[in-house]
């Protein structure tokens, strides 16, 4: 079992106001699954994604990633888990604007302690090949299209060979055609064995996954396997 | 890892070249000023000391004491006991004193044919030559015989000889000295060697006459202004000062009536004064370094805010707090270190320029370069820590959603 979420709860204290972003979420995800987490804005799906991505920790409940309880580890340990086990793909791409494509893809290697410039570049080039971006590697993010940016982000997510790819509205800033291309890449990656969790509010996108978890008001409302 | 972070730091500095330069400016000016001031200080000091030791070695000056006058005025007491005879007594009673001569001089107009020249006329004894290490190039100096018989003879400085006798040989010629409404005729018996400009004005344009002539025929007084003595050796200078002080105190009964100063003491005082000045100016320059550090901190804080999202991305990709911290500290260090290097270069250039104008040797010590550079790094480290900590403590979720 890759992921086991047990009664996850997240409460934010904003001054006098207590906001329960996530009330009670429990589910399990196996290796090799392609899961869409869907829900309207304010449903708590972003909070859930932050917890699943080890960017944040739950107020209550337990979160096991590959059998390891990560709901109460140190910040540095969380950083290490993010680096080794999770690959992020964001709606805003989140590439470093001043670094080249190749440098961007290399960043997780640097923090992962993978030494040797030549080795890093080789791994980065391989990852870029996988998403169909063999050329333009010395350009900067502002010199390429949105679809290409998202491919770079996917390459960066793949480079440390993570157990889990976490995509947050990956097609949200793309036109329909490009969005489809990106979705095809995700499906292809899933066929190759990668576990993918995708957060979206778009039913059409969610339908391309093989399992949909619906979140509403901080609760899991529906959890169904498609086809 | 450290190389990657170093490269990232340099990359981010080169992206905002003008801004990086402006924030380095404080450090550049501070380090440059420290280097230049310390160098100019030590250059000037070595110039002054070399000029003083050029005057002659192991010199001791005996002068009237300074007494505080009434109503806060400082007045020199005209000591009526500094006579030629006293000089002889000092020499007899102080075994460490080798030579002694009176200090006597006046200012007068020298006339030779149709040329005239206003200059300093110094009353001397033959001991003058050894004491000041200054000899005639041609003819002879004032002799013991000239002195005892008060003969009207004169020795000209090399520059003065040129002024008065541009085309002819001055030896044997007659020079008229007009001083205090009196005319005296002198026969030129010698011309001094060239010695260059000393610390106390141009000795090349002085005229030398027997001390007895100046006392008896011009001043009409048997008192002199003071004495210049020479110790038997450099190591004996201190002993000679002690002996003279002991003898004169007993002789006059009042240690306030005279002052005995050795060359060594003078040098010490001068190096103390220039040292204090350098330290003070260096301190002011150090404040500029501090201000430069605050400038760096300011720009680093701006940079942390501006790059909140970048920090969030890096954290999401696995950067630990210490990675983020190292990145920003190295950036601050790179900025202050580079500023320090540029400052050293500029300070060196400035010091070289001033040394050229002042005509003294360029002295830039390794010590001052090292201190200034490490101080600039220290400033960078100190003022980089706070912004770096701030950056490393950012919550990745908040940082990622920062617009």
């Amino acid at each position: 079992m890759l992921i086991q979420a047990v009664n996850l709860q997240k409460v934010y204290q904003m001054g006098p106001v207590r906001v329960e972003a996530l009330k009670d979420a429990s589910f399990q995800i196996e290796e090799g699954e392609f899961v869409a987490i869907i829900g309207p804005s304010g449903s708590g799906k972003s909070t859930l994604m932050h917890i699943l991505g080890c960017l944040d920790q739950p107020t209550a409940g337990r979160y096991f990633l590959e059998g390891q309880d990560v709901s109460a580890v140190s910040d540095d340990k969380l950083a290490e888990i993010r680096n080794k086990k999770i690959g992020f793909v964001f709606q805003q791409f989140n590439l470093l604007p001043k670094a080249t494509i190749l440098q961007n893809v290399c960043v997780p290697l640097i923090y992962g302690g993978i030494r040797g410039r030549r080795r890093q570049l080789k791994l980065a080039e391989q990852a870029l090949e996988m998403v169909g971006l063999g050329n333009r590697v010395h350009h900067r993010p502002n010199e390429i299209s949105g679809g290409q940016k998202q491919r770079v982000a996917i390459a960066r997510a793949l480079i440390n060979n993570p157990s889990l790819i976490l995509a947050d509205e990956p097609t949200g800033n793309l036109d329909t055609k490009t969005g489809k291309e990106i979705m095809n890449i995700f499906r292809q990656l899933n066929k190759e064995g990668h576990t993918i969790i995708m957060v979206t509010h778009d039913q059409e996108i969610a339908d391309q996954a093989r399992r949909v978890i619906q979140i509403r008001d901080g609760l899991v409302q529906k959890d169904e396997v498609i086809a | 890892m450290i190389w990657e972070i170093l490269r990232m730091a340099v990359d981010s500095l080169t992206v905002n070249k003008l801004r990086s330069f402006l924030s380095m400016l404080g450090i550049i000016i501070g380090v440059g000023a420290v280097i230049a001031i310390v160098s100019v200080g030590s250059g000037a000091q070595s110039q002054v000391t070399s000029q003083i030791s050029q005057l002659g070695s192991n010199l001791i000056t005996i002068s009237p004491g300074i007494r505080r006058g009434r109503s806060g005025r400082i007045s020199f007491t005209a000591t009526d006991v500094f006579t030629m005879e006293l000089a002889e007594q000092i020499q007899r009673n102080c075994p460490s004193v080798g030579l002694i001569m009176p200090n006597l001089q006046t200012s007068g107009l020298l006339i030779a044919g149709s040329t005239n020249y206003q200059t300093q006329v110094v009353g001397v004894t033959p001991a003058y030559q050894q004491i000041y290490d200054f000899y005639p190039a041609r003819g002879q100096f004032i002799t013991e015989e000239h002195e005892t018989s008060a003969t009207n003879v004169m020795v000209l400085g090399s520059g003065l000889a040129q002024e008065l006798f541009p085309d002819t040989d001055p030896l044997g010629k007659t020079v008229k000295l007009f001083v205090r409404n009196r005319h005296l005729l002198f026969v030129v018996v010698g011309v001094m060697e060239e010695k260059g400009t000393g610390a106390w004005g141009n000795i090349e344009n002085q005229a030398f006459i027997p001390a007895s002539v100046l006392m008896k025929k011009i001043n009409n007084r048997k008192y002199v202004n003071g004495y210049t003595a020479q110790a038997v050796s450099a190591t004996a200078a201190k002993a000679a000062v002690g002996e003279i002080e002991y003898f004169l105190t007993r002789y006059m009964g009042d240690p306030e009536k005279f002052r005995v100063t050795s060359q060594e003491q003078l040098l010490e005082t001068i190096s103390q004064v220039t040292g204090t000045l350098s330290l003070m100016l260096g301190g002011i320059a150090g404040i500029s370094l501090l201000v430069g550090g605050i400038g760096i901190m300011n720009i680093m804080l701006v940079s942390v805010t501006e790059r909140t999202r970048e920090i969030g991305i890096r954290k999401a990709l696995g950067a630990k707090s210490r990675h983020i911290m190292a990145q920003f500290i190295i950036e601050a260090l790179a900025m202050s270190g580079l500023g320090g290097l540029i400052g050293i270069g500029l300070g060196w250039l400035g010091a070289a320029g001033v040394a050229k104008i002042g005509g003294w040797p360029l002295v830039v010590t390794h010590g001052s370069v090292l201190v200034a550079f490490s101080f600039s790094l220290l400033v960078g480290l100190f003022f980089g820590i706070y912004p770096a900590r701030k950056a490393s403590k950012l919550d990745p979720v908040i940082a990622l959603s920062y617009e």
Side-chain angles (χ1 to χ4, degrees):
Chain A
M1 197 189 314
L2 183 65
I3 284 175
Q4 190 178 12
V6 185
N7 305 115
L8 291 179
Q9 187 198 33
K10 185 73 187 178
V11 179
Y12 295 104
Q13 195 72 41
M14 287 170 162
V17 189
R18 207 177 111 98
V19 181
E20 268 192 308
L22 205 58
K23 283 174 187 152
D24 184 7
S26 298
F27 51 84
Q28 293 174 0
I29 294 173
E30 300 292 332
E31 219 167 288
E33 279 197 82
F34 187 172
V35 183
I37 296 176
I38 189 167
S41 65
S43 60
K45 65 180 191 303
S46 289
T47 305
L48 180 61
M49 192 213 77
H50 291 149
I51 292 171
L52 293 181
C54 293
L55 288 165
D56 208 347
Q57 286 175 312
T59 314
R62 315 288 292 276
Y63 169 34
F64 296 91
L65 179 63
E66 287 190 322
Q68 185 188 5
D69 186 356
V70 291
S71 32
V73 300
S74 71
D75 285 352
D76 276 356
K77 186 73 192 158
L78 277 184
E80 201 181 308
I81 293 167
R82 288 197 293 271
N83 181 260
K84 296 267 182 274
K85 298 190 174 173
I86 299 164
F88 287 99
V89 179
F90 298 96
Q91 179 177 6
Q92 309 286 350
F93 317 125
N94 279 347
L95 301 175
L96 299 178
K98 288 155 192 167
T100 65
I101 304 300
L102 210 51
Q103 283 168 341
N104 260 293
V105 179
C106 281
V107 172
L109 294 175
I110 295 170
Y111 294 125
I114 309 281
R115 285 171 205 286
R117 190 73 191 139
R118 201 171 291 171
R119 184 159 157 226
Q120 290 179 358
L121 290 179
K122 201 173 166 213
L123 286 168
E125 274 162 12
Q126 279 173 2
L128 284 164
E129 288 289 344
M130 280 171 76
V131 295
L133 263 184
N135 51 355
R136 315 201 72 171
V137 294
H138 295 292
H139 287 70
R140 291 182 199 279
N142 59 356
E143 296 163 345
I144 57 175
S145 71
Q148 285 170 325
K149 280 182 203 168
Q150 202 58 299
R151 284 165 197 256
V152 175
I154 295 170
R156 184 178 65 182
L158 288 171
I159 194 153
N160 267 346
N161 207 11
S163 340
L164 167 68
I165 292 172
L166 206 53
D168 182 13
E169 303 271 12
T171 57
N173 272 12
L174 302 173
D175 59 61
T176 321
K177 182 170 164 282
T178 324
K180 265 183 190 151
E181 284 168 21
I182 294 299
M183 284 313 295
N184 284 338
I185 293 176
F186 279 121
R187 277 214 301 272
Q188 183 60 38
L189 288 173
N190 179 241
K191 257 184 216 156
E192 287 164 13
H194 289 277
T195 312
I196 296 168
I197 300 178
M198 195 167 61
V199 176
T200 183
H201 67 278
D202 187 339
Q203 188 64 49
E204 229 177 287
I205 297 291
D207 286 344
Q208 299 186 46
R210 299 201 304 213
R211 175 179 164 194
V212 176
I213 298 175
Q214 198 169 29
I215 304 282
R216 189 177 283 267
D217 301 327
L219 294 166
V220 177
Q221 208 176 39
K222 210 159 78 182
D223 186 348
E224 57 181 7
V225 176
I226 312 170
Chain B
M1 170 77 78
I2 194 81
W3 274 113
E4 312 279 357
I5 293 176
L6 196 67
R7 213 186 41 236
M8 288 191 300
V10 173
D11 281 351
S12 84
L13 290 184
T14 48
V15 166
N16 271 314
K17 284 192 193 71
L18 181 66
R19 195 167 86 175
S20 308
F21 173 74
L22 288 177
S23 31
M24 280 190 287
L25 207 54
I27 297 282
I28 292 175
I29 291 171
V31 171
V34 167
I35 298 282
I37 285 167
V38 171
S39 162
V40 166
S42 24
Q45 187 176 336
S46 81
Q47 158 117 340
V48 171
T49 44
S50 84
Q51 276 179 352
I52 287 171
S53 36
Q54 212 179 50
L55 275 179
S57 48
N58 13 320
L59 289 195
I60 296 157
T61 311
I62 304 159
S63 49
I66 295 170
R67 275 252 172 97
R68 275 173 217 298
R70 296 188 182 275
S71 357
R73 272 189 221 149
I74 293 173
S75 62
F76 283 92
T77 55
T79 314
D80 296 346
V81 284
F82 283 176
T83 60
M84 291 298 277
E85 291 70 43
L86 182 58
E88 279 161 31
Q89 287 191 44
I90 290 173
Q91 193 161 19
R92 261 203 310 277
N93 286 290
C94 304
S96 297
V97 173
L99 292 164
I100 187 161
M101 58 165 282
N103 290 340
L104 264 176
Q105 54 182 18
T106 187
S107 168
L109 188 68
L110 290 176
I111 305 157
S114 57
T115 323
N116 63 51
Y117 194 82
Q118 178 80 28
T119 190
Q120 289 257 297
V121 179
V122 186
V124 294
T125 61
Y128 181 91
Q129 302 169 85
Q130 288 96 60
I131 290 176
Y132 283 102
D133 189 27
F134 192 31
Y135 297 93
R138 304 179 53 220
Q140 55 172 329
F141 199 67
I142 308 297
T143 63
E144 206 62 60
E145 201 191 316
H146 294 142
E147 172 66 22
T148 44
S149 59
T151 322
N152 283 9
V153 289
M154 182 180 275
V155 177
L156 303 175
S158 58
L160 182 61
Q162 271 295 315
E163 294 283 346
L164 292 176
F165 301 99
D167 307 314
T168 49
D169 181 3
L171 289 187
K173 295 278 181 340
T174 306
V175 174
K176 201 189 272 179
L177 171 63
F178 184 69
V179 58
R180 296 190 195 157
N181 295 321
R182 250 178 288 179
H183 288 279
L184 286 105
L185 286 176
F186 286 86
V187 175
V188 177
V189 293
V191 176
M192 297 305 283
E193 61 187 343
E194 289 180 24
K195 211 183 181 188
T197 311
W200 318 130
N202 194 348
I203 55 171
E204 310 280 28
N205 285 343
Q206 287 177 342
F208 304 91
I209 61 172
S212 54
V213 174
L214 185 52
M215 290 170 75
K216 289 174 187 161
K217 297 185 181 172
I218 297 170
N219 284 355
N220 286 325
R221 283 184 77 215
K222 61 170 189 158
Y223 301 111
V224 300
N225 303 336
Y227 310 104
T228 300
Q230 188 181 36
V232 287
S233 69
T235 45
K238 229 178 190 130
V241 169
E243 288 165 12
I244 295 167
E245 278 177 344
Y246 177 71
F247 172 75
L248 285 180
T249 309
R250 263 199 353 192
Y251 184 85
M252 297 185 190
D254 183 2
E256 296 274 298
K257 274 193 172 169
F258 62 92
R259 233 158 27 112
V260 183
T261 329
S262 70
Q263 196 86 298
E264 211 179 329
Q265 286 172 309
L266 191 63
L267 283 177
E268 239 167 61
T269 312
I270 285 172
S271 64
Q272 258 175 21
V273 168
T274 49
T276 311
L277 263 175
S278 293
L279 200 69
M280 191 188 80
L281 292 172
I284 293 171
I287 292 174
S288 159
L289 263 179
L290 204 69
V291 174
I294 295 169
I296 284 187
M297 175 155 83
N298 187 27
I299 218 69
M300 293 293 297
L301 285 172
V302 171
S303 174
V304 167
T305 310
E306 255 182 13
R307 286 156 67 188
T308 300
R309 198 182 178 90
E310 177 195 326
I311 295 163
I313 296 170
R314 289 185 183 280
K315 285 201 153 186
L317 297 179
K320 295 178 182 171
S321 293
R322 64 165 190 271
H323 295 141
I324 302 293
M325 183 112 179
Q327 183 185 349
F328 281 88
I329 283 183
I330 285 172
E331 231 166 87
L333 282 179
M335 236 192 298
S336 60
L338 188 63
L341 286 179
I342 297 174
I344 287 168
L346 286 182
W348 200 308
L349 280 179
V354 176
K356 192 146 196 165
I357 293 165
W360 57 69
L362 173 63
V363 188
V364 178
T365 60
H366 295 297
S368 66
V369 168
L370 209 69
V371 165
F373 184 65
S374 38
F375 195 62
S376 68
L377 281 185
L378 213 67
V379 162
L381 183 67
F382 182 78
F383 288 105
I385 281 177
Y386 175 69
R389 266 182 72 86
K390 206 177 151 185
S392 74
K393 284 199 167 346
L394 282 173
D395 182 325
V397 172
I398 294 169
L400 270 174
S401 57
Y402 185 86
E403 291 299 327

